[in-house]
Structures are given as structure tokens and as C-alpha cells.
Amino acid sequence: FAAMIFDFGFIHCDAHPGNLLVVHPPPGAPTSRTKLVLLDHGLYRELPEATREANCGLWRAMALQDAAGINRHCTEMGIDATTATVLPLYFTNRSAATRAGLGQPITASQKAELKELLARAGLLVEPRA
């Protein structure tokens, strides 16, 4: 799946859990590799090479919490600065400024900072009392 996107530049435009199937090999099979099967092949898009490269850089920058890289690659893809700031939250549950590594817990103050970041971007709706 990653090779399809990052190496070849093809995006499956409907990759929700209902269109992903995990196939485990039967007991005693000659291979022990689990396979990911993509279903519903009705809509794909091929990324232009420059966009594929910027997308690869963006994901790398998000994983490394590299704010400058996130901004640079977002700009290359026409993504505005506000969206670039909050984009890592969708995929890593942290901003580029959060120093906790991926998979590590974040503090209550870091959670509050993320909430404020979402509020400034107009993406946080306060629950009704």
C-alpha cells in the first residue's frame, strides 16, 4: 500500500476500513506473510512526480516532527500555512512542536496546546453544556 503511494504515486481515493481486507495465511501455508488487499478499485489518481516527491517529504517531516519540512512540502503542494500547522494532528496526534515521540504519551499541557491550535484554526467545536 505504501509502495503504491510513495514509490509509484497512485492514490486509492476510497481507502476506508471497509475497502481494506487483511488476509492471514492458513496454518501450515508455505508463507507466513499477512497480506493487505485493497477492494473497490473504482477510483484512483496518479500524482504528478513533483507532488509524489512533496508528499513523501511531507510524511517524513511529520514523522520526524520537522516543522520547517512540513511547511515547505505543504507549500509545494499548494497547502496553506494554517492547514500545514494542523495537518500533523490528523496523522500523528501531535503538532510538529510536540517533543514527545510517536507512540509516546503527551502531557496535559501539550493536549491543551493542541486544543488551542485547533481552536485557532477554526477546527474545534466546543461541546454544548
Side-chain angles (χ1 to χ4, degrees), residues 12-16 18-19 38-44:
H12 185 294
C13 297
D14 195 21
H16 59 79
N19 282 341
L38 295 173
L39 306 173
D40 189 1
H41 299 281
L43 186 58
Y44 281 88

Side-chain angles (χ1 to χ4, degrees), residues 18-37:
N19 282 341
L20 300 173
L21 178 65
V22 177
V23 178
H24 300 284
T31 179
S32 62
R33 293 186 62 178
T34 299
K35 296 179 182 178
L36 176 65
V37 179

